[in-house]
Amino acid sequence: MKASNITAIVKNRAEKTISVQNETKGDFTAIVLAGSRGDCPVASVFGEQYKALVPICGKPMISRVVEALADSRSVKKVIIVFDCETSLYSTCPEFHADNTEIEISVVSCGTSICDSVRKAIDSTKTEWPYLVTTADHALLTSEIVDRFCDGASYNCDLAVGLVEKKYLDAQHPNSKRTYLPFKETKLSGANLFAFVNPNAESALSFWKTIEKQRKKPWKLFAAFGWKNVVGLVMKRFTVDEAFMRASGTLGVQVKAVRLPNAEAAIDVDSPKDYAQVSEILQSRSLAI
């Protein structure tokens, strides 16, 4: 075999190795929103100041979220947005850099969810794309993370994770969620957002004006224009049509990533949610 051919083979193998390593490392920088927003019924039950640090089935909620992110093939780095770094490391010493296989950093909270996301992005500047989730997403798994990131990785600037009502009805019929009604289905939020490229930053300012309405579908749709309110009432828009209209309002390409995992839509907003999530986690442990 000619030396030139051997060199080409070695080079090709090296390139494949680098490609595999990069694929394994993941592309997304994950932002975990863990700050407190006033009195929290879940935190108060446990005498905790921060809901993110409340233990659930033997682990702080935020530990479960970070584990899911670190175990995924999509995430290369984690940024935790939190009010008190000392309390975080005291409760979760495993987050120290010398104890983790993935880079974890902490930034202070902003004055709103939108401001917190912007601060996290500004702390890295060039670590696109970003995956945003919350510390109370205790049922998050690496499989859910990867499925969402795969769906968000192309043909959009901004992606939103959603779960159809039929999956919740089938798997967890007693779960009370907020749904957005569309022509062909009803969808619940999954607390998963992807800011795929810098174009998505322009959506943050708009998000700031509506973030307090995220649990109120009517007011949420009103922010996109009254025609959309009528469309919501009459169920005139399919999911794709609605997100196309949202893209026009925001000036960025917004995509709905539908997840077949009912548990992607269940977070810990109340003591009742806490009981349900605890039961699901216990069932998972028994199934292993």
Side-chain angles (χ1 to χ4, degrees), residues 182 184 187 237-247 253-256 258:
F182 297 93
E184 78 276 39
L187 298 174
F237 307 134
T238 64
V239 176
D240 290 341
E241 289 169 344
F243 274 78
M244 187 180 300
R245 297 173 74 92
S247 296
Q253 188 64 39
V254 189
K255 178 181 182 180
R258 302 196 213 186

Side-chain angles (χ1 to χ4, degrees), residues 215-228:
K215 300 290 186 180
K216 303 172 184 176
W218 307 106
K219 292 186 177 181
L220 183 64
F221 269 60
F224 287 90
W226 287 104
K227 287 185 178 180
N228 289 320

Side-chain angles (χ1 to χ4, degrees), residues 9 30 42 48 54 65 88 96 107 115 134 142 150 160-161 175 180 239 250 255 263:
I9 292 171
V42 176
E48 283 279 0
V54 169
V65 175
L88 179 66
H96 279 292
V107 300
D115 288 338
T134 56
S142 59
D150 287 347
V160 182
S175 183
L180 294 172
V239 176
L250 293 173
K255 178 181 182 180
E263 290 163 13

Side-chain angles (χ1 to χ4, degrees), residues 42 56-57 71 93 99 144 157 160 162 180 212 251 254-255 267:
V42 176
I56 186 164
C57 292
D71 288 344
N99 294 334
I144 292 173
D157 303 312
V160 182
L162 298 161
L180 294 172
K212 292 182 179 179
V254 189
K255 178 181 182 180
D267 53 12

Side-chain angles (χ1 to χ4, degrees), residues 32 34 52-53 60-67 80 82 88 92 95 135:
V32 182
L53 303 184
M61 275 192 275
I62 191 171
S63 290
R64 294 185 175 278
V65 175
V66 172
E67 280 182 10
I80 299 172
F82 195 65
L88 179 66
C92 307
F95 289 171

Side-chain angles (χ1 to χ4, degrees), residues 187-283:
L187 298 174
S188 180
N191 277 354
L192 290 167
F193 305 89
F195 290 78
V196 180
N197 56 58
N199 293 337
E201 280 195 280
S202 62
L204 282 172
S205 297
F206 183 83
W207 185 3
K208 187 173 182 178
T209 67
I210 66 172
E211 64 182 47
K212 292 182 179 179
Q213 314 300 342
R214 67 191 185 283
K215 300 290 186 180
K216 303 172 184 176
W218 307 106
K219 292 186 177 181
L220 183 64
F221 269 60
F224 287 90
W226 287 104
K227 287 185 178 180
N228 289 320
V229 175
V230 175
L232 176 66
V233 173
M234 304 301 293
K235 295 183 181 180
R236 289 179 178 173
F237 307 134
T238 64
V239 176
D240 290 341
E241 289 169 344
F243 274 78
M244 187 180 300
R245 297 173 74 92
S247 296
T249 299
L250 293 173
V252 299
Q253 188 64 39
V254 189
K255 178 181 182 180
V257 177
R258 302 196 213 186
L259 301 168
N261 316 80
E263 290 163 13
I266 303 174
D267 53 12
V268 184
D269 279 338
S270 68
K272 185 175 181 180
D273 292 334
Y274 181 93
Q276 181 186 26
V277 170
S278 296
E279 184 177 340
I280 294 171
L281 289 171
Q282 289 167 1
S283 297

